């Protein structure tokens, strides 16, 4: 009888060791494949549970039928957990993302057959045929400077990434300008890092304001919060306010997403924060699919507790996502009227930025942009002009 018990104990030990080793191997591979958040812990639970059930089954007098039911229920719970997790992942993947990758800029190319770029009703007072200033800029401003090009430049195909008229996003545009690859970029003001980069290169950045725009914060349309104060925004992005119930919403952790460093919107957030440092943001890295270029950015997924930010034109005209709602800031709704009259507190100028180009047409082009015709295109595109274009 004693030998039989010892044999059972030895069998249970060896079987438990085998299950444990198998579990460790599976845990290693799930961690290697990015499953640390769910599959690795699940494997650990299943491994420990299986060892426990083996020991109970081999060293107690529990009925086999009952043990079988416990085994079945245990693994059924594991399968249900996997199904629930994968279902949630599929749901998240299906949610519309508000990011600059959602916009097909080819729709705004100058001179394209059905371009969305706006046109002047009368011929331009400036016409350039040669020595064309090389342009680059922010994604959200491409529709605008594409309209400028359509009015002033000769008609031809301007490749988005290899021509006189490119759209490489704000960080790359500033880098191209500072390195002398382009003559003018259209963007929000530079970040401190971009200013330092220019200084190190011995380059002086000249910012010519050509229009105004609202920096906006948004939430999912299902979120009952309709507005925040500037201080509440600062508190959220420093991490001192972490739940929507603290700002008049329903209980739920605030997922305050951010944009990549040196992007125009992230630079604007830092201005909103003043001397307060934003917290490290929860991020999901995604590949943009732009060939060999590695582009990783923070998602702005429109689920219930998310909060993000952008510029008014981009958020309302280029993306037109009905699942988000713009927030009032300090009790003022962001729209063209509140931008124009200055009552919206997060109104910012955007610029034609130069860095000492020798191209003789740069100054002429910028002067035209600030003229009545150029400002008309600013307004027609959807931005607020610096001057009354009428």
């Amino acid at each position: 009888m004693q030998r039989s018990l010892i044999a059972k104990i030895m069998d249970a030990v060896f079987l438990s060791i085998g299950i444990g080793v198998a579990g460790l191997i599976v845990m290693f591979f799930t961690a290697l494949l990015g499953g640390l958040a769910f599959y690795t812990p699940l494997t650990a639970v299943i491994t420990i549970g299986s060892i426990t059930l083996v020991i109970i089954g081999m060293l107690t007098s529990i009925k086999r039928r009952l043990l079988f039911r416990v085994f079945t229920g245990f693994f059924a719970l594991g399968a249900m957990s996997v199904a629930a997790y994968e279902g949630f992942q599929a749901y998240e993947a299906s949610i519309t993302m508000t990011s600059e990758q959602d916009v097909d800029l080819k729709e705004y190319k100058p001179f394209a057959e059905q371009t969305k770029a706006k046109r002047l009703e009368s011929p331009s007072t400036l016409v350039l045929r040669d020595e064309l200033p090389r342009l680059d800029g922010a994604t959200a401003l491409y529709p605008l400077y594409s309209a400028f090009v359509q009015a002033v430049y000769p008609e031809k195909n301007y490749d988005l990434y290899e021509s006189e008229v490119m759209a490489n996003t704000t960080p790359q545009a500033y880098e191209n300008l500072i390195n002398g690859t382009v003559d003018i970029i259209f963007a929000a003001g530079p970040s401190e890092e971009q200013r330092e980069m220019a200084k190190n290169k011995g380059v002086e950045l000249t910012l010519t304001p050509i229009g105004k725009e609202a920096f906006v914060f948004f939430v999912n349309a299902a979120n009952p919060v309709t507005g925040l104060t500037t201080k509440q925004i600062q508190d959220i992005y420093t991490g001192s306010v972490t739940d929507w119930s603290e700002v008049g919403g329903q209980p739920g952790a605030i997922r305050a997403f951010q944009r990549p460093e040196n992007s125009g919107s992230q630079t604007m957030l830092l201005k909103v924060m003043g001397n307060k440092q934003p917290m490290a943001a929860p991020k999901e890295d995604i590949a943009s699919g732009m060939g060999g270029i590695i582009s990783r950015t923070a998602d702005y997924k429109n689920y219930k507790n998310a909060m993000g930010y952008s510029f008014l034109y981009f958020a309302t005209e280029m993306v037109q996502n009905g699942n988000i709602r713009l927030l009032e800031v300090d009790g003022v709704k962001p729209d063209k009227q509140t931008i124009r009259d200055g009552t919206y507190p997060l109104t910012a100028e955007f610029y034609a930025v130069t860095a000492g180009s020798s191209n003789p047409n740069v100054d002429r082009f910028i002067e035209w942009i600030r003229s009545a015709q150029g400002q008309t295109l600013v307004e027609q595109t959807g931005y607020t002009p610096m001057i009354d274009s009428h």
Side-chain angles (χ1 to χ4, degrees):
M1 193 74 178
Q2 185 68 22
R3 286 182 182 178
S4 178
L5 178 60
I6 292 173
K8 288 181 179 180
I9 292 173
M10 293 298 293
D11 288 344
V13 168
F14 283 119
L15 188 54
S16 297
I17 290 173
I19 293 172
V21 170
L24 286 173
I25 293 172
V26 174
M27 288 170 64
F28 172 77
F29 280 106
T30 56
L32 198 64
L33 296 172
L36 277 171
F38 176 76
Y39 282 105
T40 302
L42 178 65
T43 302
V45 170
I46 291 175
T47 301
I48 294 170
S50 298
I51 291 173
T52 302
L53 290 173
V54 164
I55 293 172
I56 291 172
M58 298 187 71
L59 301 182
T60 69
S61 58
I62 188 172
K63 293 182 179 180
R64 289 189 176 182
R65 179 176 293 182
L66 177 59
L67 184 64
F68 176 76
R69 288 177 179 175
V70 173
F71 259 110
T72 302
F74 179 68
F75 285 104
L77 282 174
M80 289 170 63
S81 299
V82 170
Y85 175 77
E86 290 296 336
F88 181 72
Q89 294 299 305
Y91 164 73
E92 277 203 316
S94 70
I95 296 172
T96 304
M97 290 185 291
T98 304
S99 78
E100 293 180 0
Q101 300 303 326
D102 290 336
V103 179
D104 184 1
L105 292 183
K106 292 179 182 178
E107 295 180 353
Y108 296 91
K109 285 183 67 174
F111 305 110
E113 186 175 344
Q114 293 182 321
T115 183
K116 293 182 179 179
K118 302 300 181 182
R119 298 178 184 272
L120 289 174
E121 294 181 359
S122 57
S124 172
T125 56
L126 175 67
V127 176
L128 300 179
R129 290 289 174 256
D130 51 28
E131 295 189 281
L132 303 176
R134 297 162 298 172
L135 312 179
D136 205 342
T139 302
L141 289 173
Y142 179 72
L144 177 57
Y145 64 90
S146 174
F148 295 156
V149 166
Q150 198 163 242
V152 175
Y153 280 34
E155 181 173 349
K156 65 176 183 177
N157 177 46
Y158 294 96
D159 187 89
L160 282 166
Y161 308 107
E162 294 182 0
S163 72
E164 296 96 336
V165 186
M166 300 185 293
N168 287 302
T169 74
T170 298
Q172 186 62 50
Y174 266 104
E175 188 173 327
N176 288 343
L177 179 68
I178 293 167
N179 290 332
T181 306
V182 297
D183 301 302
I184 310 172
I185 66 170
F186 298 88
S191 66
E192 288 302 317
E193 184 177 333
Q194 287 158 343
R195 290 182 185 277
E196 190 65 25
M197 186 192 309
K199 182 179 178 181
N200 292 338
K201 286 273 190 177
V203 171
E204 182 178 352
L205 298 176
T206 300
L207 280 62
T208 303
I210 61 171
K212 300 175 185 178
E213 176 64 321
F215 184 58
V216 298
F217 289 85
F218 58 81
V219 295
N220 182 268
N223 192 322
V225 173
T226 58
L228 295 169
T229 66
T230 300
K231 185 180 184 305
Q232 286 174 328
I233 291 170
Q234 292 173 340
D235 289 343
I236 288 170
Y237 277 94
T238 58
S240 59
V241 169
T242 59
D243 197 282
W244 282 111
S245 61
E246 299 176 68
V247 290
Q250 297 175 348
I254 300 173
R255 297 182 62 92
F257 290 105
Q258 297 183 35
R259 294 285 296 134
E261 291 184 8
N262 297 321
S263 65
S265 51
Q266 186 68 8
T267 299
M268 187 62 191
L269 175 70
L270 296 180
K271 292 180 180 178
V272 173
M273 297 300 292
N275 59 2
K276 298 179 180 180
Q277 183 63 32
M279 64 180 174
K283 293 183 179 180
E284 292 179 35
D285 290 338
I286 58 172
S288 69
M290 292 171 58
I293 301 174
I294 300 175
S295 176
R296 297 185 180 277
T297 188
D299 283 355
Y300 286 85
K301 292 192 173 185
N302 300 323
Y303 41 72
K304 183 178 177 182
N305 293 335
M307 175 177 174
Y309 48 82
S310 184
F311 290 96
L312 179 64
Y313 173 75
F314 181 83
T316 59
E317 298 294 332
M318 294 180 75
V319 174
Q320 296 184 345
N321 189 325
N323 295 323
I324 64 171
R325 183 179 62 254
L326 303 184
L327 296 175
E328 294 181 354
V329 177
D330 296 335
V332 182
K333 182 180 179 181
D335 58 31
K336 292 178 184 177
Q337 182 57 43
T338 58
I339 297 172
R340 192 182 301 275
D341 62 26
T343 55
Y344 182 71
L346 304 184
T347 296
E349 294 176 339
F350 55 89
Y351 307 94
V353 188
T354 56
S357 170
S358 60
N359 187 304
N361 287 322
V362 165
D363 290 341
R364 295 176 63 205
F365 189 40
I366 293 177
E367 183 180 353
W368 177 85
I369 289 170
R370 286 179 57 85
S371 73
Q373 282 192 329
Q375 293 296 290
T376 293
L377 287 175
V378 170
E379 187 164 34
Q380 285 181 352
T381 297
Y383 290 102
T384 302
M386 297 298 298
I387 62 172
D388 189 348
S389 60
H390 299 293

